[in-house]
Amino acid sequence: SVPSIFFRPKDRAEESDAAREKFFTPESDHLTLLNVYQQWATNHYSAKWCTEHFVHQKSLKKVREVRGQLEEIMNQQRIQITTCGTDWDVVRKAICSGYFHNAGKLRGIGEYVNMRTKIPCHLHPTSALYGLGYTPDYIVYHEVMFTVKQYMQTVTAVDPYWLAELGPMFFSVRESGSDLQSKQRQEAEEQRQMEYQQKLRDDLERQARQEEQEALIRSGGTVVEVGKRRPAINKSRSWKDDQDEDRPNARGKDSSSEGDLAAKRRRKGATGKPGGQVKKKMSFELPKGRA
């Protein structure tokens, strides 16, 4: 729980409310707090300025210390410090990435319901979104305060596509429109969901293989690559097949030699001599009536 940086004296309640409303940033209580810090820094971190605008100087000093610690961490990690300028959507998206589990969807006028726990919650009258003129469809918040109702504290309006992008394990977008752009968005969302599920399965399989290898090492065994197939062993081979395979192919040689001998015998019977030419016998008959 973070205490409010504004104080509200009973005798100057209307004046303090008017001073707080000057810092309101549409669609975000977080951006309202950022605006207060920037205005304090512009006025050289003045204590008088804090008193005039009903702001706790002690709280702002704590904010400055935390900011300095974050800068030191970024310098140690050699991360370049950049500014978003006036693009406040970058800040709102960063807040959404940290608090998407506290996302709420509009159910009525000023009433929301948590998208995960289904707990109803309301905008607090001191929120910058309460007097915005319209209520955003999706928001994220820090915490819920139980008084007369369940009020949300420190609320920021977000884009539903940010929730699907930053919290794909909980949220997804389903378009009901029939136009081409809506279909493309839906296909991209389905593809992102498939990639995320595949990544989860790959991580689980990798972790299981690593745990199995560590267990084998601790037990003194050897690590074998999981999923690698071993060469198949033909169990149907018999001892006789192995003997026939080791023995030279005598049957083939015998059959070929028998064939050669039979061919030689045929040639010898036809010629009378092995390898000789065939000689034909010729006979002549005299015509009848001639002696």
Side-chain angles (χ1 to χ4, degrees):
S1 177
V2 179
S4 175
I5 65 172
F6 299 102
F7 63 90
R8 190 171 183 264
K10 293 183 179 180
D11 55 341
R12 302 176 63 184
E14 294 182 359
E15 188 178 354
S16 62
D17 291 342
R20 184 178 65 251
E21 290 178 359
K22 293 179 181 179
F23 297 107
F24 279 177
T25 301
E27 300 181 348
S28 178
D29 292 335
H30 297 86
L31 294 181
T32 297
L33 298 176
L34 178 60
N35 186 25
V36 173
Y37 179 83
Q38 289 179 342
Q39 293 294 330
W40 181 52
T42 303
N43 288 273
H44 309 288
Y45 309 104
S46 172
K48 182 180 178 181
W49 181 91
C50 293
T51 305
E52 292 175 352
H53 293 84
F54 301 92
V55 177
H56 289 292
Q57 183 187 12
K58 185 177 180 180
S59 299
L60 290 182
K61 285 184 177 180
K62 184 66 176 178
V63 173
R64 188 179 181 184
E65 292 177 2
V66 173
R67 188 177 187 276
Q69 294 174 3
L70 293 175
E71 287 182 354
E72 291 180 0
I73 293 173
M74 294 182 69
N75 291 329
Q76 292 175 359
Q77 300 297 326
R78 298 181 180 180
I79 301 174
Q80 185 179 2
I81 300 176
T82 58
T83 178
C84 65
T86 57
D87 189 6
W88 301 116
D89 288 348
V90 176
V91 181
R92 291 197 297 131
K93 192 173 183 179
I95 295 169
C96 180
S97 67
Y99 288 92
F100 61 82
H101 54 277
N102 283 345
K105 183 179 179 180
L106 181 64
R107 189 169 69 174
I109 299 176
E111 182 181 1
Y112 289 84
V113 59
N114 190 294
M115 298 179 66
R116 291 191 59 199
T117 61
K118 306 303 179 182
I119 296 177
C121 44
H122 301 76
L123 287 174
H124 197 271
T126 59
S127 174
L129 281 73
Y130 189 83
L132 186 62
Y134 72 96
T135 48
D137 293 334
Y138 296 89
I139 51 91
V140 293
Y141 58 90
H142 272 192
E143 59 186 359
V144 175
M145 179 178 60
F146 294 91
T147 54
V148 180
K149 295 181 180 179
Q150 298 176 356
Y151 288 110
M152 298 178 292
Q153 286 189 332
T154 320
V155 184
T156 292
V158 297
D159 193 307
Y161 290 98
W162 296 350
L163 295 173
E165 178 184 355
L166 302 172
M169 67 291 293
F170 300 119
F171 310 108
S172 61
V173 178
R174 293 182 180 178
E175 295 284 354
S176 58
S178 58
D179 57 327
L180 180 60
Q181 186 177 5
S182 299
K183 290 182 178 180
Q184 290 177 350
R185 284 184 177 180
Q186 186 173 2
E187 290 176 358
E189 178 63 24
E190 291 175 355
Q191 182 66 24
R192 183 164 57 247
Q193 288 285 342
M194 292 174 60
E195 292 177 356
Y196 178 77
Q197 295 295 335
Q198 183 63 37
K199 184 179 179 182
L200 284 181
R201 287 193 293 267
D202 294 342
D203 292 342
L204 291 175
E205 291 177 0
R206 192 181 304 110
Q207 184 179 1
R209 288 197 298 267
Q210 186 177 359
E211 291 176 355
E212 185 177 355
Q213 291 178 1
E214 292 177 355
L216 286 172
I217 293 174
R218 287 194 299 268
S219 62
T222 57
V223 178
V224 181
E225 295 183 7
V226 179
K228 186 177 180 180
R229 295 185 177 180
R230 298 181 178 179
I233 300 175
N234 189 2
K235 298 182 179 180
S236 62
R237 293 169 60 91
S238 61
W239 175 82
K240 186 176 180 181
D241 295 335
D242 295 336
Q243 293 295 327
D244 292 341
E245 195 174 274
D246 296 336
R247 192 165 51 198
N249 193 1
R251 186 180 300 172
K253 292 182 178 180
D254 295 341
S255 60
S256 60
S257 59
E258 290 176 359
D260 295 340
L261 291 175
K264 289 180 180 180
R265 288 174 183 172
R266 285 195 298 271
R267 287 197 297 270
K268 184 176 179 181
T271 60
K273 295 180 180 179
Q277 297 181 354
V278 178
K279 294 183 180 181
K280 294 183 180 180
K281 295 181 180 181
M282 301 180 64
S283 60
F284 299 92
E285 295 183 357
L286 296 175
K288 294 180 180 181
R290 294 183 183 182

